[in-house]
Amino acid sequence: MKRTTGTDRSITRTWRPATQAVRAGTWRSEQGETSEAIFMTSGFTFDSAATVAARFAGEEQGMTYSRLQNPTVAMLEERIALMDGAEACRVQATGMAAMTTALLCQLSQGDHVVAARAAFGSCRWLVDQLFPRFGIESTTIDARDNAQWEAAIRPNTKVFFFETPANPTMDIVDLQFVCDLARRHGITTVVDNAFCTSALQRPIEFGADVVAYSATKLMDGQGRVLAGAVTGSADFINNVLLPFQRNTGPNLSPFNAWVVLKGLETLDLRVKRQSENALKVGQFLEGRVPKINHPGLASHPQHELAAKQMDACGSIFSFEVEDRAQAFALLDALTLIDISNNIGDSRSLMCHNASTTHYSVSAEARAEMGVTDGMLRLNVGLEDPQDLIEDLDQALRQAGL
Ligand SMILES: *Cc1c(COP(=O)(O)O)cnc(C)c1O
């Protein structure tokens, strides 16, 4: 393998994000390929017994086994780290593998976690269902309220865990405030940045310690693979996360890593265009539906905070109709937008969260976080926004709106 300028941190650190997204982390084989090679191999062979011994001992750089390291996966990790402004990154098989790894690698029995109550269903499941089985305590709070973060801290609080914007309520968490508070108390912040990616929001710039992703969403962005990523300091990634990951094995396939590498090349373009489209569609829906939760609109109670910490509003927002029956009628009347619980895709997708993404969350927890029976979440894709507006217009009329 030959190094390119993409593997020299003294150079890649000086590149702007759009350049990093296309080139950072690239290694080339002796063939000189332009696109990153896919190393679809579980193991590696060695010239001598001493070579592999030196690699296992950490005395020599190089591949040993794809659960420990893989060249295609390593290219993706370097690229995501640089784009996030982080020292290091490890990728996982799914976003939930990333969340589980980022949390369990550092938590032990008797630790306490403060978590945002508005969260992706499986993230809430980790906090509500998994943590108690291992003696990990938690408090879930209204994460929009800075005072609740402070009030929830206990002597054994180890981690703050939240997403911003939250899926699907679009609650915004004040990154600067919460990260500063955590720093003062020696608490590690774990931020789920799936709705933004580094193209829109870089939590590390606000002092976040660990950033975790579903790369299935905007990073792949074309509905092809499941993937996850965790970024942070070299110390956290190498000394806390890596021993956990190497021994529990939530690894990403080299093929899927390659697909995400291709996705990152167009991330900036897609996310910016999808944000523009989402704003146009949101402006159309505002006033036409009883409630809209869209951080790009002035009607969002935290619009100014969103504008401060995000470069654009993103592709995803939610809105509310009367009840489940009207929500289903609207979904069933769509002719262009697909009914799908995925997000971040270049296709526009809509779903009813209470019966899909948040089905695993108790009815009480759904009510508390504001996932109502009339709530619908829309991911706005790369189609012409006028076609999306026309589809929504006819579907709203059929649903009686
Ligand atoms: C989708 C999602 C996840 C889980 O990611 P998968 O790749 O589906 O495992 C976690 N957090 C948020 C905010 C998500 O939207």
Side-chain angles (χ1 to χ4, degrees):
M1 292 291 277
K2 279 192 297 193
R3 290 175 170 274
T4 68
T5 50
T7 57
D8 185 343
R9 282 251 176 129
S10 68
I11 296 170
T12 53
R13 280 267 181 242
T14 69
W15 286 345
R16 288 157 189 87
T19 309
Q20 290 169 337
V22 178
R23 290 182 173 272
T26 305
W27 286 78
R28 291 207 168 106
S29 80
E30 47 291 350
Q31 309 304 332
E33 66 279 355
T34 40
S35 175
E36 297 79 1
I38 308 175
F39 286 86
M40 212 60 211
T41 180
S42 48
F44 300 85
T45 61
F46 311 95
D47 292 341
S48 70
T51 303
V52 59
R55 289 189 188 175
F56 269 90
E59 292 154 5
E60 183 187 302
Q61 288 279 306
M63 301 294 144
T64 53
Y65 185 61
S66 281
R67 177 156 44 74
L68 308 184
Q69 66 287 98
N70 174 281
T72 312
V73 172
M75 289 192 250
L76 176 63
E77 290 172 337
E78 179 68 2
R79 187 167 299 177
I80 294 174
L82 282 156
M83 292 171 71
D84 247 21
E87 287 174 358
C89 169
R90 288 286 173 244
V91 293
Q92 294 79 22
T94 67
M96 284 321 301
M99 301 306 149
T100 308
T101 303
L103 292 164
L104 289 190
C105 75
Q106 58 177 318
L107 289 167
S108 303
Q109 183 179 17
D111 288 338
H112 174 247
V113 175
V114 182
R117 69 183 185 194
F120 179 62
S122 294
C123 293
R124 263 309 284 259
W125 186 90
L126 293 181
V127 174
D128 295 348
Q129 308 290 329
L130 187 71
F131 285 1
R133 285 169 44 192
F134 296 94
I136 300 164
E137 299 164 12
S138 65
T139 307
T140 47
I141 59 161
D142 180 347
R144 294 169 296 185
D145 180 356
N146 288 348
Q148 291 196 24
W149 286 103
E150 194 141 22
I153 295 172
R154 297 183 195 165
N156 58 339
T157 303
K158 186 91 185 279
V159 165
F160 280 176
F161 178 44
F162 61 95
E163 43 194 79
T164 180
N167 185 359
T169 59
M170 307 308 289
D171 289 1
I172 309 288
V173 178
D174 187 335
L175 280 168
Q176 192 72 61
F177 176 87
V178 174
C179 295
D180 283 351
L181 179 69
R183 270 285 141 91
R184 286 203 300 280
H185 291 267
I187 295 164
T188 303
T189 39
V190 177
V191 183
D192 179 341
N193 199 33
F195 268 42
C196 287
T197 75
S198 61
L200 291 185
Q201 176 172 273
R202 290 158 301 280
I204 286 172
E205 289 175 0
F206 296 91
D209 299 302
V210 179
V211 184
Y213 289 100
S214 169
T216 313
K217 312 293 169 56
L218 287 161
M219 285 194 193
D220 168 30
Q222 288 145 90
R224 301 169 295 194
V225 298
L226 296 172
V230 181
T231 67
S233 68
D235 180 45
F236 175 80
I237 295 292
N238 296 331
N239 301 326
V240 182
L241 184 133
L242 200 51
F244 182 93
Q245 173 152 343
R246 285 183 158 182
N247 292 298
T248 58
N251 297 51
L252 182 66
S253 153
F255 179 76
N256 291 359
W258 179 83
V259 172
V260 179
L261 276 166
K262 297 300 101 186
L264 290 180
E265 292 179 12
T266 57
L267 178 73
D268 192 63
L269 281 173
R270 286 185 284 105
V271 170
K272 283 182 182 149
R273 175 64 73 86
Q274 286 178 249
S275 296
E276 281 170 29
N277 291 355
L279 193 57
K280 287 181 186 153
V281 173
Q283 283 160 346
F284 162 77
L285 282 174
E286 185 155 49
R288 185 77 183 267
V289 293
K291 186 162 185 243
I292 183 161
N293 312 304
H294 191 313
L297 296 175
S299 60
H300 190 291
Q302 297 170 290
H303 172 64
E304 274 172 36
L305 177 61
K308 187 182 131 207
Q309 54 194 39
M310 295 162 68
D311 295 339
C313 66
S315 66
I316 306 146
F317 65 89
S318 60
F319 60 96
E320 290 166 50
V321 296
E322 283 311 320
D323 52 21
R324 181 178 292 232
Q326 193 169 49
F328 277 31
L330 178 55
L331 282 169
D332 291 342
L334 295 166
T335 59
L336 171 60
I337 299 168
D338 290 307
I339 303 173
S340 172
N341 50 286
N342 197 13
I343 48 170
D345 200 293
S346 52
R347 291 159 202 80
S348 292
L349 308 172
M350 203 194 286
C351 84
H352 177 254
N353 295 96
S355 60
T356 60
T357 57
H358 288 65
Y359 183 73
S360 69
V361 175
S362 70
E364 302 80 69
R366 277 204 299 271
E368 179 200 62
M369 71 169 91
V371 177
T372 63
D373 257 9
M375 181 176 277
L376 291 160
R377 188 192 63 197
L378 176 58
N379 170 71
V380 179
L382 290 171
E383 302 94 340
D384 188 309
Q386 198 50 40
D387 287 327
L388 300 172
I389 287 169
E390 285 168 19
D391 190 30
L392 284 166
D393 184 43
Q394 63 81 25
L396 285 163
R397 269 189 274 120
Q398 284 199 55
L401 283 153

